[in-house]
Amino acid sequence: MNKKYGVSWLLAVTAMFILPLVAAAADKTVYLPIIGNATGYKISDTGPAGGKVFFVSSDGLHGLEATSGRSISQDYKLWYNGAYITTNAKRGGVNAGQLNTERIINHQGAGDYAAQLCANYQGGGYGDWYLPSKEELNLLYLQKDVVGGFDDVHYWSSTEINNLDAWTQYFLNGFQSAYQKNVWRRVRCIRAF
């Protein structure tokens, strides 16, 4: 043993480093550092509600999933509930469709129309499905081959333009355009996780 450090140094090192390791081993609890993201999602994964993931955050923990295949949300629906009213569903961006859907339903009430269809959907045991915003619908279009089940037709977004019109996206070429709310268009529901 090195005479410079002596026995007291050895006892101090043992008390600081070795005894805690022995105590942890006796406890049988193993603490390991978390490296990376063990529960992260990537595009094309099956989401928490059983849909197809089409958008993920940079950490892989959050994202958007769409109803998969030809499910209930492939129906043709009107955007409005029989009256041309302004709903103020004008939010854009990721996760904006949820607020838009709530606004549409709050202003139009119960009925058989696009936003209500998504709000009523219970896929995977989750009740937080919604009609995508204009931007979310475009993200869905960009991953349409991964998600699958689309036809080359127009799909409704939840983004309103005015009391007469709302945004749609044509899934043949990605072109977004305004349509009157009383036109029958396809619906694809999504949810955030």
Side-chain angles (χ1 to χ4, degrees):
M1 178 187 306
N2 188 330
K3 291 181 183 180
K4 181 178 177 182
Y5 294 109
V7 173
S8 61
W9 175 84
L10 182 59
L11 291 173
V13 169
T14 302
M16 285 177 31
F17 297 106
I18 297 174
L19 290 178
L21 290 174
V22 171
D27 180 47
K28 296 186 172 128
T29 303
V30 178
Y31 299 97
L32 298 173
I34 297 172
I35 300 171
N37 178 11
T39 61
Y41 288 92
K42 64 183 184 315
I43 291 173
S44 82
D45 281 352
T46 299
K52 278 291 187 184
V53 175
F54 67 95
F55 173 80
V56 292
S57 60
S58 59
D59 63 5
L61 295 175
H62 305 285
L64 300 172
E65 65 180 311
T67 53
S68 57
R70 295 194 175 282
S71 63
I72 185 173
S73 54
Q74 280 288 99
D75 291 349
Y76 282 93
K77 292 291 179 187
L78 300 174
W79 196 94
Y80 81 153
N81 193 22
Y84 289 109
I85 59 173
T86 301
T87 65
N88 293 314
K90 297 185 179 192
R91 293 277 176 131
V94 175
N95 297 326
Q98 189 166 23
L99 180 60
N100 286 346
T101 299
E102 291 170 7
R103 285 183 174 179
I104 294 165
I105 293 169
N106 285 339
H107 283 86
Q108 296 192 135
D112 185 25
Y113 55 95
Q116 187 74 69
L117 174 76
C118 291
N120 290 343
Y121 188 65
Q122 297 290 314
Y126 289 83
D128 57 352
W129 295 89
Y130 60 88
L131 189 62
S133 70
K134 178 183 175 188
E135 290 79 7
E136 289 169 324
L137 189 59
N138 188 59
L139 290 171
L140 187 54
Y141 166 75
L142 295 174
Q143 299 299 331
K144 71 177 187 170
D145 294 333
V146 170
V147 175
F150 291 99
D151 290 323
D152 294 334
V153 297
H154 288 268
Y155 287 80
W156 279 122
S157 82
S158 62
T159 308
E160 180 180 63
I161 297 170
N162 54 39
N163 66 318
L164 297 175
D165 302 311
W167 286 102
T168 68
Q169 187 150 3
Y170 189 33
F171 270 58
L172 175 64
N173 60 16
F175 186 70
Q176 291 188 324
S177 57
Y179 271 94
Q180 284 197 350
K181 297 174 181 178
N182 69 342
V183 176
W184 295 88
R185 294 289 176 236
R186 277 278 177 86
V187 177
R188 194 71 177 261
C189 303
I190 67 169
R191 67 178 294 276
F193 61 86

